[in-house]
């Protein structure tokens, strides 16, 4: 298939495809799907080997958000019966983080609901980072606290935070359909503030809210241009009690096409399968590892994932390995640029020990990961649903025929159905008396 040969060649050189080529990936048929996965898998191995980076979410403050992001169970007016609690104490957060690190996570993502942090909230996060790093100085920390005001990113950087997550979620053109209390430009501004302060930029998207293929391609190219070092790909978790509860627009095949497209557009960037992995990829999760080089371990912010041990078993069974603390996540050319931008460590050194979060990838398929390729910048952790997008416009308008068929099937099934069998509200870990899943 000429398209895949072209995309593979570009990806191995670290080049970005054209917009038309990215759209063509989304329009491939189910008959072509394994070829698509194989082609994008070669690009993934070229830059990231067979390593899988594990990240662990700690929801510092849950629910009761004044923002109206329609995809989010913590939104204003949400009827979702999620855990609601205010800020965890530093010791409580450190305990939760320890569980994730013990389970194999090298990055801890500290997330708080809300429009953005107050300066007092930055103090709280500073104390929490100190508690986590006192127990384990090597752990990478990503903060996800919403829109940043002036000087807050600098304060987080000084506190030892390595990365900041703030997702663009969807295209600029449709952003107003998924949230009205802030704008796409607000989100871009926060990613730029974080990056400008030397924090690794983590910014991604949410698929499955009814967006068109063009919307998906728009946001993925925007993320590339923003210099996001980590791109979390969330698949909408349609929570009962939110406006998108019945938006079941994704099939496992559709998710794999989206991941492949994101990989081709971001060949040397960390691509993370984020929220919705179990809900939408289901038994096809292992194929997703051939495309993404990063996942969350265990549970999400307000929903439960599969058991942490099941995540580890899946990685091993699929022939991948958990990325170690001493291994760099990003390929050397990108890690060095990230280090220069953030003042952290470059690719050669271990990413831990308080350094930055770049990382040199092990070469894949006998190829050198050091091959000269263009620049890149910062890096980022990633969080689940604090940044995503949703738009309930008809989904299938521009998708390929096979994909449209699959989506129509999903729509039919979900039209009058809330899938409580697939969406499990988190009832353990942070904010509860029960042990975390890690
Ligand atoms: S995504 Fe973040 S800002 Fe939006 S409603 Fe949810 S917690 Fe609030």
């Amino acid at each position: 298939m000429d398209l895949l040969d072209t995309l593979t060649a570009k990806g191995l050189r670290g080049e970005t495809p054209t917009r038309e080529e990215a759209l063509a990936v989304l329009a491939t048929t189910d008959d072509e799907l394994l070829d698509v996965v194989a082609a994008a898998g070669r690009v993934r191995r070229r830059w990231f080997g067979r390593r899988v980076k594990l990240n662990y979410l700690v929801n510092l403050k849950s629910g009761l958000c004044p923002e109206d992001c329609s995809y989010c169970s913590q939104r204003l007016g949400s009827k979702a019966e999620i855990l609601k609690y205010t800020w965890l104490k530093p010791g409580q957060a450190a305990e939760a983080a320890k569980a994730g690190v013990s389970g194999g996570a090298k990055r801890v993502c500290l997330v708080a609901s809300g429009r953005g942090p107050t300066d007092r909230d930055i103090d709280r996060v500073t104390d929490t980072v100190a508690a986590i790093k006192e127990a384990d100085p090597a752990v990478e920390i990503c903060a996800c606290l919403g829109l940043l005001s002036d000087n807050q990113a600098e304060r987080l950087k000084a506190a030892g935070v390595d990365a900041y997550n703030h997702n663009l979620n969807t295209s600029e053109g449709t952003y107003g359909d998924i949230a009205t209390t802030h704008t796409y430009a607000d989100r871009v501004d926060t990613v730029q503030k974080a990056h400008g302060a030397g924090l690794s930029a983590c910014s991604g998207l949410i698929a499955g809210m009814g967006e068109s293929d063009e919307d998906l391609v728009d946001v993925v190219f925007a993320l590339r241009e923003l210099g996001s070092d980590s791109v979390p790909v969330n698949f909408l978790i349609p929570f009962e009690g939110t406006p998108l509860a019945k938006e079941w627009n994704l099939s496992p095949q559709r998710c794999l096409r989206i991941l492949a497209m994101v990989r081709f557009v971001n060949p040397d960037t960390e691509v993370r399968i984020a929220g919705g992995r179990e809900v939408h990829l289901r038994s096809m999760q292992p194929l997703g590892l051939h495309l993404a080089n990063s996942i969350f371990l265990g549970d999400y912010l307000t929903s439960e994932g599969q058991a942490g041990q099941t995540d580890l078993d899946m990685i091993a069974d699929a022939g991948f390995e958990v990325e170690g603390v001493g291994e760099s996540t990003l390929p050397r050319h990108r890690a060095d640029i990230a280090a220069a931008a953030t003042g952290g460590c470059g690719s050669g050194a271990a990413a831990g020990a308080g350094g930055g979060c770049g990382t040199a990838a092990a070469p894949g398929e006998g190829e050198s990961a050091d091959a000269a390729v263009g620049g890149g910048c910062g890096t980022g952790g990633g969080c689940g649903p604090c940044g995503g997008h949703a738009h309930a416009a008809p989904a299938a308008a521009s998708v390929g025929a096979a994909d449209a068929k699959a989506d129509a099937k999903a729509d039919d099934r979900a039209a009058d159905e809330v899938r409580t069998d697939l969406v499990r509200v988190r009832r353990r870990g942070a904010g509860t008396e029960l042990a975390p899943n890690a």
Side-chain angles (χ1 to χ4, degrees), residues 65 67-69 71-72 74-75 113-115 182 187 385-387:
C65 185
E67 300 294 291
D68 69 351
C69 310
Y71 52 82
C72 181
Q74 306 184 77
R75 75 189 294 270
S113 63
R115 178 178 174 85
H182 59 268
R187 286 190 170 268
C386 199

